[in-house]
Amino acid sequence: MSAFPPPPAQPPGRRVALLTLGCARNEVDSEELAARLDADGWQVTTDADGADVVLVNTCGFVEKAKQDSVQTLLDAADGGAKVVAAGCMAERYGRELAEHLPEAQAVLGFDDYPDISGRLRAVLAGEQLPAHAPRDRRTMLPLTPVSRQRSGVVVPGHATVDEHTPAHLRAVLRRRLASGPVASLKLASGCDRRCAFCAIPAFRGAFVSRVPEELLAEAEWLAGTGVRELVLVSENSTSYGKDLGDPRLLEKLLPQLAAVDGIVRVRVSYLQPAETRPGLIETIATTAGVAPYFDLSFQHASEPVLRRMRRFGSTGRFLDLLASARSLAPQAGARSNFIVGFPGETRSDVDELVRFLSAARLDAIGVFDYSDEDGTEAAGLPDKVRAATVKRRYDRICALADELCAQRAEERVGTTVEVLVDSVDDGLVEGRAAHQAPEVDGSTTLVAGAAAATGAGVDLAMLRPGDLVRATVTGTEGVDLVAVPSDVLSSGTADRPLSTAVR
């Protein structure tokens, strides 16, 4: 079922380029915007060259992301197109961004998304639109989670074409902007946590789940476009269902998503350690078709630092959590992000973080150097760490992370992995094992083994994006793996036989 009926005839001067910055959640939001624009007759592209309007879906997470967003807007303006800012940075700063960036013809907020086509038509017509006026979006939703579903508040990535039609019969309000066998599926939006360093809830709002029926319908639609792996994204996936009356709803949803025809892997991201229940660990670790992959937001390991961050946990608790997952799936993947230089962090706190990282055997480690963020509690905390000290600690933890993740990759040599092929380019076959999320966790290069000379194994020339193959890891390059495929478990192309193994 297509997302929409054929659009009306294309009038001149209606080409819009949609440029997306930041996280996978933003990518889903852009695809909702693309669907709305496509339905109204716009020619939607991701190439700014020759566009009449460039719509930049900005990121407002940390300082570097904000700088990248501003630079993208300036570069787009240099190309001669009308430039419009949307997304998190625009939502967060609104009028302030408009005042400091006159190159942008409009700065839009999330509430403008339902009529994005009308807003861009106005920009093309030379109208001066009022800049978005920011507000704390947490205040727009009821305090009680179960009262939020029918609030009428605009939540990007949650819109439906016709809420009165059953989800499985509805057109999906989404237009893919990228090809390939992997796509994100927005599980929920917003967050109810109050981490001292994070401004996201203020501009993304309180936590709101999408109902399972909508998720399953969208998963089926994505599978129909060639998607083979679904990556479930949100600000906090472990909270899924609490506003639907069932805080264990994710455990029930995962097997259903994994059973969607054409989907061979479902991956959950953005888990909060304090909310990660034993039942959820078991579901992720043992459900066929669900990647045994744990994207856990630890942020630090020292208890005093975590308390100042308004988070919970410790080295011991975090190691126990990882051990519980590995007891069910010994080769489970695990990744996390960490902040160094948080106000009040001492040398002993850093040593504790080093102790944890050295014992955790994480596959991927993201490291951020702390910086004050507008509107956060941490920005007003005393005992700021000197910039030079923050940089020194950041460099130390980054170097350690690179070393530890490379060691973890080496531990996988000789093991069997299931690799989803992402790309085939001039004979180079690249994919990802179950412990490797798109773009952030490394990749696996498939190579011919010794058996290929005798006609055994898998013919690499037969592999295509979307194929799922079983392979043996033979080497590493940092966090990346090199593996020899032994057989094709599932073909990503309907008109090819399931097995391309040469017997």
Side-chain angles (χ1 to χ4, degrees), residues 133-468:
R135 60 182 294 190
D136 189 333
R137 294 191 74 86
R138 291 172 294 191
T139 65
M140 299 170 67
L141 287 163
L143 185 62
T144 305
V146 294
S147 302
R148 295 172 185 166
Q149 285 295 315
R150 298 295 178 184
S151 66
V153 173
V154 174
V155 182
H158 288 230
T160 60
V161 176
D162 177 12
E163 65 179 13
H164 302 295
T165 300
H168 68 284
L169 298 176
R170 259 180 234 154
V172 173
L173 191 60
R174 183 167 180 177
R175 179 187 185 277
R176 292 195 70 194
L177 293 172
S179 58
V182 184
S184 297
L185 181 63
K186 182 172 278 193
L187 191 69
S189 290
C191 186
D192 289 339
R193 303 187 71 86
R194 294 294 184 267
C195 301
F197 54 82
C198 186
I200 291 175
F203 57 85
R204 274 290 184 178
F207 184 86
V208 183
S209 301
R210 295 181 67 196
V211 297
E213 294 78 12
E214 287 182 7
L215 293 167
L216 289 166
E218 189 168 326
E220 291 175 358
W221 178 83
L222 287 168
T225 70
V227 170
R228 304 277 279 160
E229 177 177 329
L230 299 172
V231 181
L232 306 187
V233 299
S234 69
E235 276 76 26
N236 177 5
S237 296
T238 37
S239 282
Y240 179 72
K242 73 175 188 179
D243 53 327
L244 299 174
D246 186 353
R248 290 176 172 77
L249 196 55
L250 185 55
E251 288 98 304
K252 301 172 185 176
L253 176 65
L254 285 171
Q256 294 176 289
L257 289 171
V260 171
D261 189 30
I263 299 299
V264 296
R265 180 185 288 164
V266 178
R267 184 184 304 276
V268 187
S269 58
Y270 305 105
L271 301 173
Q272 284 289 343
E275 298 179 33
T276 303
R277 305 168 296 279
L280 180 58
I281 293 173
E282 181 177 0
T283 299
I284 294 174
T286 65
T287 302
V290 175
Y293 172 83
F294 293 86
D295 175 15
L296 293 155
S297 177
F298 290 133
Q299 302 300 346
H300 213 283
S302 166
E303 283 194 80
V305 174
L306 287 166
R307 296 302 176 271
R308 285 194 294 276
M309 288 180 169
R310 296 203 179 277
R311 296 178 66 85
F312 303 94
S314 65
T315 292
R317 290 180 183 178
F318 292 162
L319 291 177
D320 287 346
L321 179 58
L322 291 168
S324 66
R326 289 167 176 153
S327 69
L328 296 168
Q331 295 301 321
R335 79 171 325 273
S336 191
N337 295 320
F338 299 87
I339 298 172
V340 294
F342 191 80
E345 183 188 66
T346 65
R347 282 180 290 180
S348 62
D349 293 326
V350 178
D351 290 342
E352 183 65 8
L353 177 57
V354 169
R355 185 172 82 86
F356 169 71
L357 292 174
S358 300
R361 297 168 58 233
L362 298 174
D363 293 279
I365 298 169
V367 185
F368 293 87
D369 50 340
Y370 173 81
S371 62
D372 287 338
E373 283 295 316
D374 299 331
T376 64
E377 179 185 353
L381 290 178
D383 302 322
K384 292 289 197 296
V385 180
R386 293 190 307 116
T389 303
V390 173
K391 184 180 186 308
R392 186 170 63 251
R393 292 174 181 177
Y394 172 80
D395 290 343
R396 176 190 177 189
I397 298 301
C398 282
L400 176 65
D402 288 345
E403 178 184 352
L404 292 173
C405 291
Q407 290 176 4
R408 177 62 178 141
E410 290 173 1
E411 291 178 13
R412 295 189 181 275
V413 173
T415 64
T416 299
V417 293
E418 293 186 1
V419 178
L420 181 71
V421 176
D422 283 329
S423 64
V424 180
D425 186 13
D426 289 334
L428 182 64
V429 183
E430 293 281 346
R432 291 169 298 100
H435 70 280
Q436 295 171 322
E439 299 181 3
V440 294
D441 293 343
S443 63
T444 299
T445 301
L446 296 176
V447 299
T454 64
V458 171
D459 182 358
L460 294 180
M462 292 287 289
L463 293 178
R464 298 291 183 271
D467 289 344
L468 183 68

Side-chain angles (χ1 to χ4, degrees), residues 25-88:
R25 301 184 295 275
N26 254 18
E27 293 172 3
V28 177
D29 296 350
S30 285
E31 294 192 347
E32 177 193 311
L33 292 171
R36 292 184 182 279
L37 291 164
D38 184 72
D40 200 37
W42 290 81
Q43 181 186 348
V44 182
T45 178
T46 56
D47 183 359
D49 291 342
D52 302 293
V53 182
V54 177
L55 177 60
V56 181
N57 189 352
T58 60
C59 179
F61 178 40
V62 292
E63 188 59 35
K64 185 180 184 305
K66 289 181 276 189
Q67 292 172 2
D68 290 345
S69 294
V70 170
Q71 189 59 54
T72 301
L73 289 161
L74 292 173
D75 291 344
D78 288 343
K82 302 282 189 180
V83 178
V84 175
C88 291

